[in-house]
Amino acid sequence: MKPTFIWDLDGTLFDSYDAIVDSLCDVYKEKLNIDLDKEELRQEAIRYSVGHFLARMEKETGVLFKELKERYSAISGERKLNIKPMKHSIELLDYLKEQG
């Protein structure tokens, strides 16, 4: 029996945190004229999730989660082409593929 690997894309195979953080910052600037602390936001996104952050912000600002999430998805979707693989992730996947 061969082992099975399950990968989380964000922060494991792809370095998407800059795109996530920038997209969230854009949403808050656009919707609420709020400038977010990028490093604090990065830590929260890594520790929890975007959904967790948006739910917390809904409680703090009164802007509906659905509205924030829809705008975040639209903005982050535009940035997806700029996301790069994590260092050595391609080599690792190639190696695992060669191993069957």
Side-chain angles (χ1 to χ4, degrees):
M1 176 182 279
K2 293 185 181 188
T4 300
F5 295 91
I6 300 173
W7 301 96
D8 173 45
L9 290 176
D10 296 323
T12 304
L13 293 179
F14 288 92
D15 188 3
S16 55
Y17 287 116
D18 286 341
I20 290 168
V21 168
D22 289 344
S23 297
L24 286 170
C25 286
D26 287 353
V27 169
Y28 281 86
K29 186 67 174 171
E30 178 184 303
K31 294 281 184 189
L32 302 162
N33 200 30
I34 294 174
D35 290 316
L36 297 174
D37 180 301
K38 286 188 176 188
E39 187 52 37
E40 183 180 319
L41 182 53
R42 176 186 274 290
Q43 293 307 312
E44 186 165 347
I46 290 170
R47 186 170 185 195
Y48 300 108
S49 67
V50 169
H52 179 270
F53 176 77
L54 294 175
R56 181 172 66 82
M57 292 308 286
E58 177 185 42
K59 290 177 186 174
E60 292 177 14
T61 67
V63 178
L64 295 177
F65 175 90
K66 181 180 178 188
E67 183 179 341
L68 296 170
K69 176 69 171 150
E70 285 174 357
R71 189 63 188 130
Y72 166 77
S73 294
I75 291 172
S76 66
E78 296 168 5
R79 290 191 165 104
K80 286 183 180 177
L81 294 177
N82 297 326
I83 295 173
K84 305 292 183 212
M86 295 292 279
K87 186 176 182 180
H88 304 299
S89 63
I90 301 299
E91 293 86 357
L92 174 62
L93 292 173
D94 286 341
Y95 171 78
L96 293 172
K97 184 178 178 183
E98 288 171 10
Q99 302 305 307

